[in-house]
Structures are given as structure tokens and as C-alpha cells.
Amino acid sequence: MARVLLFGPLRDLAGWRERDVEAASLAALRGALAAEDAALGEALGGPGVQTAVDQALVRGDAPLSPRSEVAFLPPMSGG
Amino acid sequence: MARVLLFGPLRDLAGWRERDVEAASLAALRGALAAEDAALGEALGGPGVQTAVDQALVRGDAPLSPRSEVAFLPPMSGG
Amino acid sequence: MIRLVETAFDPGALLSEFTRGRSETGAVATFTGIARAEAGATTVLELEAYPGFTEAEIGKIAEQARERFGLHDLAILHRVGKIGPGEPIVFVATAAGHRRAAFEACDFLMDYLKSRAPFWKKEHGPGGARWVEPTAQDHADRERWT
Amino acid sequence: MIRLVETAFDPGALLSEFTRGRSETGAVATFTGIARAEAGATTVLELEAYPGFTEAEIGKIAEQARERFGLHDLAILHRVGKIGPGEPIVFVATAAGHRRAAFEACDFLMDYLKSRAPFWKKEHGPGGARWVEPTAQDHADRERWT
């Protein structure tokens, strides 16, 4: 279980901003999201999309605890 | 006759800031001031001292009317 | 001070506060970015941040600026949410002993904020809404500092 | 707006006024110069201007800046008379469509004001008073624009 946050165009694509998803790792989480919404699954792996777990950027897989906060960050536009 | 204004270090040197002096030209005015205060006369011809008549910079001699305002401007320090 | 705000702010009030009580800071530079109407082409700008993460990322660059330019102090305030034309979006202030450092640090911080800070920006205009990415100019501006 | 003032001013109040009601100006840069205490070495700064002439000379450079950087607007306010440590001496604001022009114009105006504007400056310290001329750095800064 993890709290998932989507930002910018990812939010518009998925139609939601924040959800709880059952997953013990980032890889499992991506799989679960892609199984439900193939377009979102593809977008999450798109160029420049970064992933943060508990507000720290991570690359590759990572274990998730029940209270993890996972954020998918599309390319930042600046202010 | 002209109103004479001194600025910055020239004012300290002369001990005055503003006076009326009888003179029909800038050259005559310089002569009158130097006759009275040799140190001031020399300072007015010093490096970087500019002269303004009625708020416009002039070089060399210039006629003065009874209402002319003559300012001697030592090197500007900026703000 | 690094802060995100959801409501309109007055850059002047921030500058008053920032300059108060400084006796060894010779120089304060500021930048205020304002939402342009673009002659009606953009009606509202919408800025999204990731609260906590966005401030922390900006804080890292602020620390770099402090060290690189020897700043005495800095302040960054950024609007999020919906912003109407003519409203300030961002305010940056830098304090230093001399003006060159204050100017350069302010310029550096703005180049970062405009090109890399964790914001997602949507422009709402008469023809609909679109997500915006940094311009080539924004990237080139940031490259000046590397 | 180009103005000399004999009493203390709040740069924030000037910025509030300057940013108000702009819908096509994307960028406002400001600079505030503050009298440094220099750890007690300078107690009071005294600035003399030639009223009328000083504003007119600054006005000429302001016109240059407007044209060269395509400014939408600018404001320059300068203290004269006796200025205590921590008090603002000068405030410059520039408004432009984009930030590079606003920053550069502000920087340009300050380089001029610090090195060539018609002011005469006296520093009063514990050891007496002395007239100040621009530093070599001030001249070098101004040369960048020629």
C-alpha cells in the first residue's frame, strides 16, 4: 500500500491526482497502475518522468512501506 | 553679475556654497574669484572640474547675463 | 525564506520586510515575475507544485547561491494555483555586501526557477488549456552558470 | 520617475507602486543600495546633488536604458543629504517584457549611478570626514557597457 501522487499532465491523463495503491515495491506499483490504465502505465515510463519516494528522487526499483508516498513527476516546467 | 554655486570639495575649500559675483563672462568670473582667493582660483582650473552655465556644461569662455547661474562641479563621485 | 503561496501577494511588502534593519548589507536586488496577459492570449496561469518537495528543491539551489555569491540573505516567494494577468508569480530578493553579487545571485536564482524548479504550468486561454515546458531560452539562460 | 529625496524612504513602498496595474510587463527588477556601517568606520554619509542638473543628467541615461533594453518603464529614487547606516540610498526599478532586459537595464543604471552621476559624497567617520571618488571597480563596472 502506498499513497500515489500524480502531477501536471500525468494528472490530466489519468483523471486523478491522488490514490492509495496496494504494492510492496515501485516495480509492483507501476505494474498495478499499467494493468488498470495502459496509457498511464506508458506515460509513467516516458522521457523525463522522475519518481520520488517520500519526497526523495529514486531511480530503478525501491521497496515501499504501507506509508510510502510515491510521486510521479513529469518534466518540470519551472515557475 | 552671476549667481555662483560651488559643490563638493570646492565648497569646503572656499568656505561658501553660493554667492553673487559681478562678471560679464566666465573668464572674468574666474579672474574675480582667483583675485580674491588664489587657492579657489587654482582649484577651479583643476583636473576634472567642469563648469555649467544655466545647468548646461560649457567648455572655455562664455558670456554671462545678470541672471546667469554658474556652477563649478568637481569630479562627480556617483551616488 | 522560501515560501509557496496560494493567494495574491505584494512584492513591495516583501521588499520592505527584507530591507529592514540591515546595516552591513550594501546591496539588495530583487526580481518580480508578473503574469502577462499576452494581449488576451492567456487568461489564467495555473501553477502546480509538490508541497514540501518543491520548497526543498528550491532550498538546495538557494544554498548554492548563498555560497557561490556570498549572500547575506535571500528570500523566494512563489505563487501556486490560478494566477490572473498582472498578478505577481514570483519574487526573489538577494542581499550582499556589494551590488555585483546581489544582481548575479538574483539572476542565477531566476534562471533556475524558470527552467528547473518543480512546478508544472498550465496556460488557460481563449482556445483552451495547455501544459507549458521551459523554452530553449530558459535552458540557455541556465547554462550560463555551469 | 526620477526623483531626489532628502528624507528616508521605503524601497518596498516604491516597488508596490511600480508593480501595480501591469498586465503586459512580465519582469520587474530592482536594486536598493543601503548605507553600510562598515563596522563603525562610517557613521554618516552625506550626498550632495545639483538640483535640476542632477535629475536631468540621470534622465539622459534613463532614456538610453529605455531604448537600449526596450524598457516598459523605470523608476529611480536617490537620497541626498545625510544618510545613516542601514538607510537606503538609492532605489532603481526597471520593467520589461522579459527578465534579461529588466536585469541588465537595472545593472546598467546602477553602474552609471555609482560612477558618473552628479553627486558628491562625503563619509563622516570617527576619524573625521572625507570626500569620496568612484572606485576603480566602479569605473570597470561602467566600462562593461561600452
Side-chain angles (χ1 to χ4, degrees):
Chain A
M1 182 91 148
R3 170 122 296 223
V4 180
L5 305 177
L6 300 181
F7 289 90
L10 290 175
R11 166 170 46 92
D12 284 0
L13 176 74
W16 51 271
R17 185 198 149 89
E18 196 166 333
R19 280 179 58 183
D20 289 327
V21 177
E22 205 69 53
S25 71
L26 257 187
L29 174 65
R30 288 172 183 278
L33 292 170
E36 193 190 304
D37 180 341
L40 177 62
E42 193 174 337
L44 294 182
V49 175
Q50 299 182 87
T51 308
V53 175
D54 295 331
Q55 305 221 337
L57 295 175
V58 298
R59 285 166 182 277
D61 199 10
L64 298 179
S65 80
R67 285 184 174 163
S68 295
E69 177 180 279
V70 178
F72 292 103
L73 310 171
M76 295 154 182
S77 66
Chain B
M1 181 93 146
R3 171 123 295 225
V4 180
L5 306 177
L6 301 181
F7 289 91
L10 290 175
R11 167 170 43 94
D12 283 1
L13 176 72
W16 53 271
R17 185 198 149 87
E18 197 167 332
R19 280 180 57 182
D20 289 328
V21 177
E22 203 70 52
S25 72
L26 257 188
L29 175 65
R30 288 172 183 280
L33 292 171
E36 191 190 306
D37 181 340
L40 176 61
E42 192 174 338
L44 294 182
V49 175
Q50 298 183 85
T51 309
V53 175
D54 295 331
Q55 305 221 336
L57 295 175
V58 297
R59 284 165 183 278
D61 199 10
L64 298 179
S65 80
R67 284 179 172 169
S68 295
E69 177 180 279
V70 178
F72 293 102
L73 312 172
M76 294 156 183
S77 67
Chain C
M1 188 269 276
I2 294 171
R3 199 142 47 101
L4 305 181
V5 292
E6 298 205 7
T7 51
F9 67 91
D10 173 11
L14 298 169
L15 178 57
S16 296
E17 194 185 316
F18 192 76
T19 46
R20 202 168 292 141
R22 300 196 177 277
S23 63
E24 292 301 341
T25 284
V28 170
T30 75
F31 181 83
T32 305
I34 300 173
R36 276 189 301 271
E38 308 275 13
T42 301
T43 52
V44 167
L45 202 64
E46 190 177 351
L47 269 174
E48 195 183 357
Y50 180 6
F53 180 83
T54 297
E55 293 95 318
E57 290 292 306
I58 294 173
K60 289 178 195 168
I61 299 294
E63 270 320 298
Q64 273 187 35
R66 251 179 226 279
E67 285 184 25
R68 177 166 178 170
F69 302 102
L71 294 182
H72 297 179
D73 198 5
L74 63 82
I76 298 173
L77 189 132
H78 213 295
R79 270 291 289 281
V80 292
K82 292 192 171 165
I83 305 166
E87 292 183 7
I89 304 170
V90 57
F91 174 80
V92 172
T94 53
H98 295 274
R99 71 184 182 284
R100 184 76 34 239
F103 271 129
E104 290 191 351
C106 197
D107 196 7
F108 168 89
L109 287 166
M110 277 309 306
D111 281 350
Y112 164 77
L113 287 166
K114 291 295 287 184
S115 65
R116 285 253 293 262
F119 292 102
W120 296 275
K121 181 160 54 180
K122 207 177 201 174
E123 280 177 7
H124 297 265
R130 68 179 192 96
W131 290 98
V132 184
E133 299 210 1
T135 64
Q137 183 63 50
D138 288 329
H139 287 301
D141 285 345
R142 199 191 64 245
E143 286 302 313
R144 296 184 304 145
W145 305 99
T146 57
Chain D
M1 188 269 276
I2 294 171
R3 198 142 48 103
L4 305 181
V5 292
E6 299 205 6
T7 51
F9 67 90
D10 173 12
L14 298 169
L15 178 58
S16 295
E17 194 187 316
F18 192 76
T19 47
R20 203 169 291 142
R22 301 196 176 277
S23 63
E24 293 301 340
T25 284
V28 171
T30 75
F31 181 83
T32 306
I34 299 173
R36 275 190 302 270
E38 308 274 13
T42 300
T43 53
V44 167
L45 203 64
E46 190 177 349
L47 268 173
E48 195 183 357
Y50 179 8
F53 180 83
T54 297
E55 293 96 317
E57 290 292 306
I58 294 172
K60 289 179 196 167
I61 299 294
E63 270 321 298
Q64 273 187 35
R66 251 179 225 279
E67 284 184 27
R68 177 166 177 171
F69 302 101
L71 294 183
H72 297 179
D73 198 6
L74 63 81
I76 298 173
L77 190 133
H78 213 295
R79 271 290 289 280
V80 292
K82 292 191 172 167
I83 304 166
E87 291 183 7
I89 304 170
V90 58
F91 174 81
V92 173
T94 54
H98 295 275
R99 69 184 183 284
R100 183 76 35 240
F103 271 129
E104 289 190 352
C106 198
D107 197 6
F108 169 88
L109 286 167
M110 278 308 306
D111 281 351
Y112 164 75
L113 287 167
K114 291 295 287 185
S115 64
R116 284 252 293 262
F119 292 103
W120 297 274
K121 181 160 53 181
K122 207 177 202 174
E123 281 177 7
H124 297 265
R130 69 180 193 95
W131 290 98
V132 184
E133 300 210 0
T135 64
Q137 183 63 50
D138 288 329
H139 288 301
D141 285 345
R142 199 192 64 243
E143 286 301 314
R144 296 183 305 145
W145 305 99
T146 58

